[in-house]
Amino acid sequence: MNTIQEFDLFSILPEDKIAEKGKVLISEPFLADTFFNRSIVFLTEHTPEGSVGFILNKKLDLKVSDTIDGFDNWEENLNMGGPVAPDTLHYIHTLGEAIPGSVHVYRDIYWGGEIDTVRKLISFNRIKPYQIRFFLGYSGWSSGQLERELKENSWVIVQVNPEMIMTGGGPDSWRKILKGLNKKYRAWADFPQSPDMN
Protein backbone atom coordinates (compact mmCIF):
# COMPACT_ATOMS: atom_id res chain seq x y z
CA MET A 1 0.00 0.00 0.00
CA ASN A 2 1.37 3.41 -0.98
CA THR A 3 1.69 6.07 1.67
CA ILE A 4 1.16 9.81 1.37
CA GLN A 5 4.86 10.32 2.06
CA GLU A 6 5.80 8.52 -1.14
CA PHE A 7 3.90 11.14 -3.10
CA ASP A 8 5.26 14.14 -1.20
CA LEU A 9 6.82 16.17 -4.00
CA PHE A 10 8.49 18.54 -1.60
CA SER A 11 10.42 16.14 0.61
CA ILE A 12 13.98 15.91 -0.68
CA LEU A 13 15.74 12.56 -0.65
CA PRO A 14 18.59 12.27 1.90
CA GLU A 15 21.21 11.69 -0.82
CA ASP A 16 20.23 15.01 -2.41
CA LYS A 17 20.90 16.97 0.79
CA ILE A 18 24.67 16.43 0.91
CA ALA A 19 26.33 19.83 0.62
CA GLU A 20 29.86 20.00 -0.80
CA LYS A 21 31.85 22.74 -2.45
CA GLY A 22 31.53 22.50 -6.22
CA LYS A 23 27.89 21.40 -6.08
CA VAL A 24 24.87 23.57 -6.71
CA LEU A 25 21.77 24.25 -4.65
CA ILE A 26 18.47 24.33 -6.55
CA SER A 27 15.71 26.13 -4.64
CA GLU A 28 12.33 24.49 -4.22
CA PRO A 29 9.59 26.11 -6.37
CA PHE A 30 7.91 28.25 -3.72
CA LEU A 31 10.88 29.41 -1.66
CA ALA A 32 9.64 32.81 -0.54
CA ASP A 33 13.02 34.50 -0.16
CA THR A 34 13.34 37.39 -2.67
CA PHE A 35 16.98 36.63 -3.46
CA PHE A 36 16.74 32.86 -3.64
CA ASN A 37 13.37 32.32 -5.32
CA ARG A 38 13.99 29.85 -8.18
CA SER A 39 17.73 30.22 -7.76
CA ILE A 40 20.73 28.09 -8.60
CA VAL A 41 23.61 28.65 -6.16
CA PHE A 42 27.15 27.41 -6.78
CA LEU A 43 28.88 26.47 -3.52
CA THR A 44 32.49 27.66 -3.47
CA GLU A 45 33.01 26.80 0.19
CA HIS A 46 31.35 24.43 2.64
CA THR A 47 32.90 23.74 6.04
CA PRO A 48 31.61 23.21 9.59
CA GLU A 49 32.06 26.97 10.06
CA GLY A 50 29.68 27.86 7.24
CA SER A 51 29.13 28.03 3.49
CA VAL A 52 29.69 30.51 0.66
CA GLY A 53 28.15 30.48 -2.80
CA PHE A 54 27.03 32.58 -5.75
CA ILE A 55 23.67 32.74 -7.50
CA LEU A 56 24.25 31.62 -11.09
CA ASN A 57 20.98 32.54 -12.79
CA LYS A 58 20.30 36.18 -11.80
CA LYS A 59 22.06 38.53 -14.17
CA LEU A 60 21.98 42.23 -13.33
CA ASP A 61 21.26 45.01 -15.81
CA LEU A 62 24.69 46.47 -15.08
CA LYS A 63 27.84 46.22 -17.17
CA VAL A 64 31.11 45.48 -15.37
CA SER A 65 32.78 48.32 -17.29
CA ASP A 66 30.18 50.84 -16.13
CA THR A 67 30.31 49.79 -12.49
CA ILE A 68 33.83 48.71 -11.50
CA ASP A 69 36.95 50.86 -11.90
CA GLY A 70 39.68 49.47 -14.14
CA PHE A 71 37.47 47.23 -16.30
CA ASP A 72 36.91 49.61 -19.21
CA ASN A 73 37.13 46.87 -21.86
CA TRP A 74 34.77 44.42 -20.18
CA GLU A 75 31.21 44.73 -21.50
CA GLU A 76 29.76 41.64 -19.81
CA ASN A 77 26.97 41.96 -17.25
CA LEU A 78 27.44 41.65 -13.53
CA ASN A 79 25.56 38.91 -11.70
CA MET A 80 23.78 39.07 -8.37
CA GLY A 81 25.84 36.80 -6.14
CA GLY A 82 23.56 37.00 -3.13
CA PRO A 83 22.32 39.21 -0.32
CA VAL A 84 25.54 39.37 1.72
CA ALA A 85 27.83 42.40 1.22
CA PRO A 86 26.08 43.50 -2.01
CA ASP A 87 28.63 46.29 -2.56
CA THR A 88 31.56 43.84 -2.91
CA LEU A 89 32.92 42.28 -6.10
CA HIS A 90 33.58 38.54 -6.43
CA TYR A 91 34.46 36.27 -9.34
CA ILE A 92 34.80 32.68 -10.41
CA HIS A 93 37.00 31.73 -13.34
CA THR A 94 38.76 28.96 -15.24
CA LEU A 95 42.17 30.66 -15.32
CA GLY A 96 43.67 28.66 -12.49
CA GLU A 97 47.12 29.69 -11.34
CA ALA A 98 47.22 32.51 -13.89
CA ILE A 99 45.36 34.42 -11.15
CA PRO A 100 47.55 34.21 -8.01
CA GLY A 101 45.65 33.49 -4.82
CA SER A 102 42.80 31.66 -6.57
CA VAL A 103 41.03 28.88 -4.68
CA HIS A 104 40.26 25.69 -6.60
CA VAL A 105 36.58 24.73 -6.31
CA TYR A 106 35.52 22.15 -8.89
CA ARG A 107 37.07 20.75 -12.07
CA ASP A 108 38.75 23.74 -13.74
CA ILE A 109 36.75 26.36 -11.81
CA TYR A 110 38.49 28.66 -9.34
CA TRP A 111 37.28 31.37 -6.99
CA GLY A 112 38.85 34.79 -6.40
CA GLY A 113 42.51 35.67 -6.65
CA GLU A 114 44.44 38.90 -7.18
CA ILE A 115 42.16 41.46 -8.79
CA ASP A 116 45.05 43.52 -10.18
CA THR A 117 46.08 40.50 -12.25
CA VAL A 118 42.50 40.13 -13.50
CA ARG A 119 42.45 43.83 -14.51
CA LYS A 120 45.78 43.50 -16.32
CA LEU A 121 44.76 40.36 -18.24
CA ILE A 122 41.47 41.97 -19.28
CA SER A 123 43.25 45.14 -20.44
CA PHE A 124 45.49 42.98 -22.66
CA ASN A 125 42.47 40.99 -23.96
CA ARG A 126 43.85 37.81 -22.40
CA ILE A 127 40.53 36.73 -20.81
CA LYS A 128 37.44 35.61 -22.72
CA PRO A 129 33.88 36.10 -21.38
CA TYR A 130 33.38 32.36 -20.88
CA GLN A 131 36.46 32.23 -18.61
CA ILE A 132 35.28 34.52 -15.81
CA ARG A 133 32.03 35.65 -14.13
CA PHE A 134 31.69 38.67 -11.87
CA PHE A 135 29.22 38.92 -8.98
CA LEU A 136 28.05 41.66 -6.67
CA GLY A 137 27.62 40.24 -3.19
CA TYR A 138 27.54 36.60 -2.22
CA SER A 139 25.36 33.99 -0.57
CA GLY A 140 26.50 33.02 2.90
CA TRP A 141 25.37 30.62 5.61
CA SER A 142 26.70 30.54 9.16
CA SER A 143 27.55 27.29 10.92
CA GLY A 144 24.59 24.90 10.74
CA GLN A 145 22.36 27.34 8.85
CA LEU A 146 22.46 25.58 5.49
CA GLU A 147 21.89 22.22 7.17
CA ARG A 148 18.75 23.61 8.81
CA GLU A 149 17.47 24.84 5.45
CA LEU A 150 18.15 21.41 3.96
CA LYS A 151 16.11 19.79 6.73
CA GLU A 152 13.29 22.18 5.79
CA ASN A 153 13.48 20.89 2.17
CA SER A 154 14.40 24.33 0.83
CA TRP A 155 17.11 23.02 -1.54
CA VAL A 156 18.00 20.00 -3.61
CA ILE A 157 21.73 19.56 -4.19
CA VAL A 158 23.06 18.39 -7.55
CA GLN A 159 26.22 18.44 -9.64
CA VAL A 160 26.10 20.32 -12.92
CA ASN A 161 28.61 20.67 -15.72
CA PRO A 162 31.22 23.44 -15.54
CA GLU A 163 29.88 25.10 -18.70
CA MET A 164 26.55 25.79 -17.00
CA ILE A 165 28.36 27.24 -13.97
CA MET A 166 30.42 29.57 -16.13
CA THR A 167 27.59 30.71 -18.41
CA GLY A 168 24.62 30.62 -16.04
CA GLY A 169 22.66 28.51 -18.49
CA GLY A 170 20.30 31.32 -19.56
CA PRO A 171 17.12 32.74 -17.99
CA ASP A 172 15.33 29.38 -17.97
CA SER A 173 18.20 27.46 -16.36
CA TRP A 174 16.40 26.70 -13.07
CA ARG A 175 13.65 24.92 -15.00
CA LYS A 176 16.05 23.23 -17.43
CA ILE A 177 18.15 21.69 -14.65
CA LEU A 178 15.07 20.34 -12.90
CA LYS A 179 13.76 18.90 -16.17
CA GLY A 180 17.07 17.07 -16.58
CA LEU A 181 16.85 15.30 -13.23
CA ASN A 182 15.67 11.70 -13.18
CA LYS A 183 13.66 12.04 -10.01
CA LYS A 184 10.46 13.63 -8.73
CA TYR A 185 12.08 17.07 -8.82
CA ARG A 186 11.23 17.22 -12.51
CA ALA A 187 7.67 18.03 -11.47
CA TRP A 188 8.91 21.19 -9.73
CA ALA A 189 9.78 22.72 -13.10
CA ASP A 190 6.12 22.86 -14.13
CA PHE A 191 4.78 24.58 -11.02
CA PRO A 192 3.71 28.21 -11.60
CA GLN A 193 5.50 30.99 -9.71
CA SER A 194 2.58 31.22 -7.29
CA PRO A 195 0.77 28.10 -5.99
CA ASP A 196 -2.47 30.06 -6.41
CA MET A 197 -2.01 30.18 -10.19
CA ASN A 198 -3.16 27.38 -12.44
Side-chain angles (χ1 to χ4, degrees), residues 91 93 95-104 110-114:
Y91 38 94
H93 57 83
L95 299 157
E97 295 178 0
I99 310 295
S102 298
V103 176
H104 180 251
Y110 289 73
W111 168 33
E114 292 183 5

Side-chain angles (χ1 to χ4, degrees), residues 68 84-90 135-138:
I68 312 296
V84 184
D87 57 345
T88 59
L89 181 70
H90 306 267
F135 301 86
L136 285 182
Y138 66 95

Side-chain angles (χ1 to χ4, degrees), residues 69-71 74 89 91 93 95-102 112-128 131-132 134:
D69 289 337
F71 289 90
W74 198 258
L89 181 70
Y91 38 94
H93 57 83
L95 299 157
E97 295 178 0
I99 310 295
S102 298
E114 292 183 5
I115 194 165
D116 288 339
T117 301
V118 175
R119 283 194 183 99
K120 186 180 295 184
L121 290 172
I122 285 177
S123 70
F124 292 139
N125 294 315
R126 300 288 299 275
I127 299 180
K128 304 297 182 188
Q131 293 178 300
I132 194 165
F134 291 95

Side-chain angles (χ1 to χ4, degrees), residues 21-116:
K21 78 173 185 176
K23 289 189 175 182
V24 299
L25 310 175
I26 310 292
S27 66
E28 57 94 349
F30 305 124
L31 190 65
D33 187 284
T34 303
F35 281 94
F36 295 122
N37 180 258
R38 301 203 173 203
S39 285
I40 304 164
V41 182
F42 177 54
L43 285 178
T44 54
E45 182 175 272
H46 180 69
T47 70
E49 286 72 44
S51 306
V52 174
F54 299 94
I55 299 173
L56 297 178
N57 62 325
K58 300 207 173 175
K59 192 171 285 190
L60 295 169
D61 192 22
L62 294 169
K63 301 287 187 187
V64 175
S65 58
D66 294 335
T67 313
I68 312 296
D69 289 337
F71 289 90
D72 298 338
N73 299 329
W74 198 258
E75 295 302 310
E76 298 299 308
N77 285 66
L78 282 161
N79 301 274
M80 181 178 70
V84 184
D87 57 345
T88 59
L89 181 70
H90 306 267
Y91 38 94
I92 57 174
H93 57 83
T94 58
L95 299 157
E97 295 178 0
I99 310 295
S102 298
V103 176
H104 180 251
V105 181
Y106 169 64
R107 297 270 186 95
D108 62 346
I109 299 177
Y110 289 73
W111 168 33
E114 292 183 5
I115 194 165
D116 288 339

